[in-house]
Amino acid sequence: MLDAAVKVFSRRGFHAASMDEIAEDAGISKPMVYAYLGTKEELFVACLHREGTRMMQAIAGAAAPDLPADERLWRGLRAFFGFVGAHRDGWAVLYRQARGEQPFAGELATMRTRLVEVVAGMLDHALRAEGREIAPTDLEVVAYALVGATESLADWLADHPEADPEKTATRMMNVAWLGAAQLLHGVTWCPPAD
């Protein structure tokens, strides 16, 4: 039922999706959808939670904490883009359909905050391993920037079914790691004096 719901919500959006279509795609009766998953809003939240959990499990399972920082980031990116490539409908529900719809935007914001916290923790761990620390606000800003850039590239990947998720992860790794490597070594850009 959730697979069918994700496909329909992805294709039609929350408002245009109908419980009749979801039931038909799932091969069950409409009353069964309501009995098992509740209202359309509850069904959409169940889809968000399932897809968000799948995504986070893929990343966490790949980015083991005992790996060197660059390999940890690489494996996390590869798992993330692999998830998006394999679950384009799930990505569409998570980041396209839920983003502007209340109360779903709040659910998405909670998931995104958790992802930013994970990235900030990975960066902090890598910096400390290099004997460096940066201000918590700077760490948070960098984590938001990396997550935002990665989400944008994931949207691109979702729109290009011919694109290879691993190659997309490599592109993001080059952008992210080359910049992060400079930060790990204490190199920062400063604006010119006026």
Side-chain angles (χ1 to χ4, degrees):
M1 282 188 278
L2 286 177
D3 289 340
V6 166
K7 285 180 186 171
V8 172
F9 285 133
S10 170
R11 199 170 48 235
R12 301 237 185 256
F14 174 74
H15 292 294
S18 74
M19 295 296 265
D20 288 323
E21 185 177 3
I22 292 167
E24 184 179 318
D25 280 13
I28 60 171
S29 69
K30 183 175 162 182
M32 289 297 291
V33 175
Y34 282 108
Y36 283 106
L37 296 164
T39 66
K40 186 164 105 171
E41 291 81 7
E42 291 168 325
L43 176 57
F44 193 82
V45 169
C47 292
L48 286 178
H49 286 197
R50 186 188 75 170
E51 297 306 305
T53 298
R54 282 178 164 180
M55 182 181 73
M56 291 300 287
Q57 286 174 339
I59 296 166
D66 60 331
L67 295 171
D70 61 335
E71 189 170 344
R72 191 172 182 204
L73 179 60
W74 162 243
R75 287 185 184 199
L77 287 171
R78 193 169 67 184
F80 173 75
F81 286 111
F83 170 84
V84 174
H87 304 280
R88 292 171 200 270
D89 289 340
W91 175 257
V93 168
L94 277 172
Y95 282 89
R96 291 183 178 170
Q97 302 301 328
R99 185 170 272 168
E101 299 287 336
Q102 289 300 337
F104 314 124
E107 295 281 339
L108 178 61
T110 298
M111 288 181 226
R112 190 170 197 264
T113 297
R114 179 66 190 125
L115 190 55
V116 168
E117 289 169 354
V118 167
V119 171
M122 288 173 59
L123 291 170
D124 188 46
H125 182 267
L127 286 164
R128 289 179 191 276
E130 294 283 327
R132 305 198 54 79
E133 287 185 49
I134 63 172
T137 301
D138 291 339
L139 194 62
E140 182 181 24
V141 167
V142 170
Y144 268 101
L146 288 173
V147 169
T150 302
E151 288 171 347
S152 291
L153 197 50
D155 267 343
W156 177 86
L157 177 65
D159 287 339
H160 293 85
E162 76 286 355
D164 178 13
E166 188 152 336
K167 187 165 184 161
T168 305
T170 302
R171 289 176 174 132
M172 186 63 215
M173 183 66 184
N174 281 318
V175 170
W177 186 251
L178 294 177
Q182 294 293 323
L183 286 174
L184 287 173
H185 293 101
V187 177
T188 58
W189 178 86
C190 295
D194 287 335

